[in-house]
Amino acid sequence: MESCVKITITAPALEDVTVQDLAQKAWHAHEEDRRGSITIKMEGVRTMTNSILEGAMRALSFCVIAMFACPAAAGEVSVERGLEVSILAGCQDCHTEGYRTSQGKIDPTKSMKGSSIGWQGPWGTSYAQNLRLSAASLSEDGFVQIYGVRAPEMSPPMPWYRLRMIPEDDLRSLYRYLKSLGEPGASVPAFVPPGSRVKTPYIVLDPPQMPPACSHDLDCGIGEICVTIEPRHCAKKG
């Protein structure tokens, strides 16, 4: 794996520099050293309000992450590590709408906001929750307690049992990543009990279905035979 080289870019007059300017500077620096990650050093920021500075840095961070990213070390508590955890643990797969269909491209405006597409099975219809809202309502310690070794059983297809296996440092990093994403957004649709009307698109997750039982080939359809091993059932020839 290539090493990460820190490159510092100084903006002495930040009030005259746009986010696009900073991103362009970062990209040119990266082009000079393809291994490089980017560290932005801000100077002369007295004329900027905190909200403008924070907004600029947030937008810039998305630009930098989209262009290149140095892997964060396991055990390191950081936003960068939290992003990695959200991908490797499969959080983005369900909690970021459109993530899988985009083949893993993360849209910062949708990241971890949950999904309005339900998952339906014998338990009812459930929705991947807005994890930004979860992080917004909890302290870091509270987040670790709820989603750590004491993670409660949750509706399918959420693999809640995996949460208990995530190291505490990674959970803290995930929390910080969620907090870095900005406004939490709205709640996803509420859980729908079995038999109740579902008003959103949903994906059906049925239990495994057994092929029809048989006693001889005539019980089966064209091109099928009745297998002789128990339990006997119809299967395609060959």
Side-chain angles (χ1 to χ4, degrees), residues 4-10 20-41 60 64 67-68:
C4 287
V5 178
K6 294 295 182 183
I7 302 170
T8 299
I9 301 173
T10 302
Q20 289 79 8
D21 291 333
L22 288 173
Q24 187 174 35
K25 289 175 183 290
W27 176 251
H28 288 327
H30 176 61
E31 285 293 288
E32 294 175 3
D33 188 333
R34 297 296 296 184
R35 299 170 302 165
S37 64
I38 298 300
T39 298
I40 305 297
K41 181 180 179 182
L60 177 60
V64 173
M67 291 188 292
F68 45 85

Side-chain angles (χ1 to χ4, degrees), residues 51-70:
S51 61
I52 294 176
L53 177 58
E54 289 172 2
M57 286 305 297
R58 183 176 297 116
L60 177 60
S61 70
F62 288 139
C63 293
V64 173
I65 288 173
M67 291 188 292
F68 45 85
C70 288

Side-chain angles (χ1 to χ4, degrees), residues 129-208:
Q129 296 300 300
N130 182 339
L131 295 183
R132 291 197 200 186
L133 280 176
S134 299
S137 64
L138 295 168
S139 66
E140 184 172 308
D141 288 339
F143 184 87
V144 171
Q145 289 178 1
I146 290 179
Y147 293 102
V149 294
R150 298 180 180 178
E153 185 172 344
M154 303 175 191
S155 297
M158 173 62 194
W160 54 270
Y161 41 85
R162 292 185 188 172
L163 294 175
R164 299 177 179 179
M165 302 172 65
I166 299 178
E168 180 177 322
D169 288 341
D170 281 350
L171 283 173
R172 292 187 181 278
S173 292
L174 178 60
Y175 175 84
R176 297 184 188 186
Y177 169 64
L178 292 169
K179 295 286 282 188
S180 76
L181 292 172
E183 288 298 319
S187 298
V188 299
F191 171 79
V192 181
S196 298
R197 181 187 176 193
V198 180
K199 299 180 181 179
T200 69
Y202 58 88
I203 298 169
V204 177
L205 295 178
D206 276 335

Side-chain angles (χ1 to χ4, degrees), residues 69-153:
C70 288
E76 170 189 331
V77 178
S78 66
V79 171
E80 292 76 18
R81 178 60 183 171
L83 170 61
E84 291 182 359
V85 171
S86 74
I87 296 171
L88 297 175
C91 307
Q92 300 276 2
D93 290 6
C94 292
H95 293 274
T96 299
E97 195 163 299
Y99 176 77
R100 288 179 298 171
T101 54
S102 69
Q103 298 183 344
K105 295 178 182 178
I106 298 176
D107 180 348
T109 65
K110 296 180 179 179
S111 180
M112 308 299 271
K113 281 187 174 181
S115 176
S116 60
I117 300 174
W119 295 90
Q120 186 176 95
W123 66 88
T125 303
S126 53
Y127 298 84
Q129 296 300 300
N130 182 339
L131 295 183
R132 291 197 200 186
L133 280 176
S134 299
S137 64
L138 295 168
S139 66
E140 184 172 308
D141 288 339
F143 184 87
V144 171
Q145 289 178 1
I146 290 179
Y147 293 102
V149 294
R150 298 180 180 178
E153 185 172 344

